[in-house]
Amino acid sequence: MLACGNHVQGARGAGQGRAVALVLVMGLSGGCGASATPPPEGIVDAGGSLHQPPAQSQNPVRSSVLPSDTLRMALTESLEPTGRIRLYWDYHGLTQDSRPPTEEVSHPDLEGAMVNVAWADIELARGVFDFSILDAEIAWWAAQGKQVMIRNAVLGTVLTGSLTPTWVYDQGVPYVSFRAKPQDQEWITVPRAWDSPLFMTLYEGYVAALAQRYDGDARVSFVSLGVGHLGHTVADASRGGNTALPAAGWTKQNWEAYIEEVIDLYARHFAQTPMILSAGPLWTRAHAGDDIVPEMREVVTYAASVGASLMLKGLNPDPNVYAATPFSEMLEVLAQDPLPAGFTLFMGDDWPLWVDEVRRANNPQEADRDDAGFAAALHTALDEWDRLERRCDFVLVLLKPEIQVTNPSHPLYRPEVAAILQDFLAEEAAPPLPAR
């Protein structure tokens, strides 16, 4: 278990009648369907979350302490809430999945979708771009009345191939290859992005073309800053990468510098479409939790200084698991200064926060991802929003199982799970209390 940081409970207000929207996430590794195979004990998922058999604990549904009616009315009349809850679908679409059925897209709280795109899918050769697949995806979601967030994956390997164009290596960019696990037959190849000016030059060509096509497009709500593994700040989450990257010269210090260089790169080209940095709870297996807190504080404050929002991938039904991440400390730093205009806090995980009884019975790692665990995860999310005093919008990131069972139009709809989500959506930003 990673060392835990301080987890401070924030004061909380309450409210009703807010406008809401919903974010779904379909698992990149196929982990969202009922028949998906879970990660073995200790395996790290796409967002960098370390999955271990959960401790059995009681996770009661949270309750709010409401101010008196008189005080609440006075505050409501004098001060408007400053943030709202929204939800999206982190949809690993394009070539990896078919588009979702109507009964999922029709979820009444769904605002948009996070669409993952690999650099290798777009820039087929240096300076040769094919945006047709991304154009079609954006147009399809727009036809459903939804916005799209473009999430860029530039490093790593998935079942469909390399996320980095192979021609990048032909240009002379140095790289490192390794097996994720010793028994694996396949090799993972990633560029040594942290010490290659040539890589950054080539990458900037892609970002510039992406911005020329989509910056300011009303159908696109955010663009992610593609950094490391699957676009997150994670350098590599595998056992093989844990040793291979440092052996190739990777350090926490040069990785921090690289992330800030990527932030600068996107800021140079995206002047209208909001940017978002997706942070995982580790950089490598040996660099996680409290060990990366100083660097992550620098990274998130630097991103905020250019107006970028923040996504935290590592929400968990077990609050102790979440507390072992550096996220709370990062938010405490952001809370010290004014947030940039339009700043939005995204939270979710690359693994479902709720799965059905059959899947829980078959997969011990998911035993706590039941109704109580779902409520506990949302409780944690509200605690973290409170760190920022609800001065910004909050976006909850859900996976396919949760969206199916909370959609009244879906055959798998479960009112008891939907009620947990609706209780969460009923929360709203609390106006600050008057100075004492």
Side-chain angles (χ1 to χ4, degrees):
M1 180 62 66
L2 305 177
C4 295
N6 294 330
H7 190 64
V8 180
Q9 300 296 324
R12 182 174 296 127
Q16 299 293 330
R18 71 187 331 26
V20 295
L22 173 63
V23 181
L24 270 80
V25 182
M26 298 179 68
L28 182 62
S29 60
C32 295
S35 61
T37 302
E41 180 176 347
I43 292 299
V44 182
D45 67 20
S49 299
L50 183 61
H51 290 271
Q52 297 174 325
Q56 298 301 315
S57 61
Q58 297 297 317
N59 295 310
V61 177
R62 63 185 296 275
S63 62
S64 296
V65 179
L66 302 180
S68 70
D69 290 343
T70 302
L71 175 59
R72 185 167 58 249
M73 289 177 62
L75 292 174
T76 302
E77 290 173 357
S78 61
L79 296 168
E80 290 296 324
T82 55
R84 64 191 180 100
I85 294 180
R86 303 159 60 191
L87 291 99
Y88 254 70
W89 181 336
D90 185 351
Y91 171 69
H92 298 300
L94 300 183
T95 59
Q96 298 176 46
D97 296 301
S98 59
R99 289 182 177 127
T102 302
E103 61 264 27
E104 290 172 4
V105 178
S106 66
H107 193 295
D109 296 312
L110 178 62
E111 180 174 290
M114 298 179 188
V115 173
N116 291 264
V117 59
W119 180 10
D121 290 336
I122 301 298
E123 192 170 4
L124 307 183
R126 185 174 185 181
V128 179
F129 300 93
D130 181 1
F131 288 99
S132 58
I133 189 170
L134 184 53
D135 284 344
E137 199 72 17
I138 293 172
W140 186 86
W141 284 99
Q144 317 305 313
K146 317 299 181 186
Q147 285 187 303
V148 162
M149 186 183 100
I150 300 174
R151 192 166 77 176
N152 291 287
V154 297
L155 305 182
T157 303
V158 293
L159 295 178
T160 53
S162 175
L163 302 173
T164 308
T166 55
W167 58 262
V168 165
Y169 306 120
D170 297 335
Q171 295 283 320
V173 170
Y175 60 89
V176 56
S177 296
F178 53 89
R179 293 185 176 96
K181 299 188 291 292
Q183 65 269 29
D184 287 352
Q185 297 299 313
E186 299 81 10
W187 286 77
I188 294 173
T189 297
V190 297
R192 285 170 40 182
W194 59 87
D195 65 358
S196 174
L198 176 58
F199 172 84
M200 294 305 301
T201 297
L202 299 178
Y203 186 20
E204 181 154 18
Y206 165 69
V207 174
L210 194 71
Q212 184 177 16
R213 194 169 191 90
Y214 300 114
D215 188 30
D217 189 327
R219 303 170 301 170
V220 179
S221 55
F222 287 88
V223 61
S224 75
L225 311 176
V227 177
H229 179 62
L230 303 180
H232 305 298
T233 57
V234 178
D236 190 84
S238 70
R239 290 197 292 270
N242 187 56
T243 55
L245 267 61
W250 182 98
T251 66
K252 288 194 301 179
Q253 292 71 32
N254 60 29
W255 188 248
E256 176 190 341
Y258 161 71
I259 295 174
E260 293 181 358
E261 193 171 356
V262 171
I263 293 169
D264 287 341
L265 189 162
Y266 278 81
R268 284 196 295 272
H269 295 282
F270 281 90
Q272 301 178 66
T273 300
M275 302 174 294
I276 184 167
L277 179 70
S278 178
L282 51 74
W283 282 356
T284 75
R285 282 174 172 250
H287 304 86
D290 285 351
D291 182 62
I292 61 172
V293 165
E295 292 80 12
M296 287 304 299
R297 283 175 169 169
E298 293 294 326
V299 165
V300 299
T301 53
Y302 190 75
S305 75
V306 300
S309 294
L310 180 64
M311 180 187 298
L312 304 181
K313 300 306 291 288
L315 195 59
N316 195 285
D318 186 340
N320 294 319
V321 173
Y322 178 83
T325 71
F327 295 154
S328 293
E329 289 86 349
M330 292 156 52
L331 292 177
E332 290 289 348
V333 171
L334 287 179
Q336 304 307 310
D337 297 306
L339 297 172
F343 182 88
T344 302
L345 176 63
F346 288 69
M347 289 192 71
D349 193 24
D350 281 345
W351 216 254
L353 298 172
W354 183 95
V355 296
D356 62 35
E357 295 83 356
V358 173
R359 180 165 167 172
R360 293 198 298 268
N362 292 334
N363 307 325
Q365 294 85 1
E366 298 177 333
D368 63 347
R369 297 188 178 237
D370 55 7
D371 295 11
F374 186 42
L378 299 189
H379 186 179
T380 296
L382 288 173
D383 285 343
E384 296 302 81
W385 193 26
D386 283 340
R387 292 181 187 279
L388 301 180
E389 298 176 341
R390 305 192 181 191
R391 291 177 289 129
C392 60
D393 281 7
F394 181 96
V395 175
L396 176 66
V397 179
L398 295 180
L399 288 139
K400 186 175 182 178
E402 301 102 298
I403 203 60
Q404 289 178 333
V405 297
T406 58
N407 184 355
S409 300
H410 199 280
L412 299 178
Y413 175 66
R414 295 200 183 185
E416 65 278 10
V417 185
I420 296 170
L421 179 60
Q422 289 305 312
D423 284 346
F424 176 80
L425 297 179
E427 292 279 343
E428 69 180 36
L433 292 173
R436 296 180 180 178

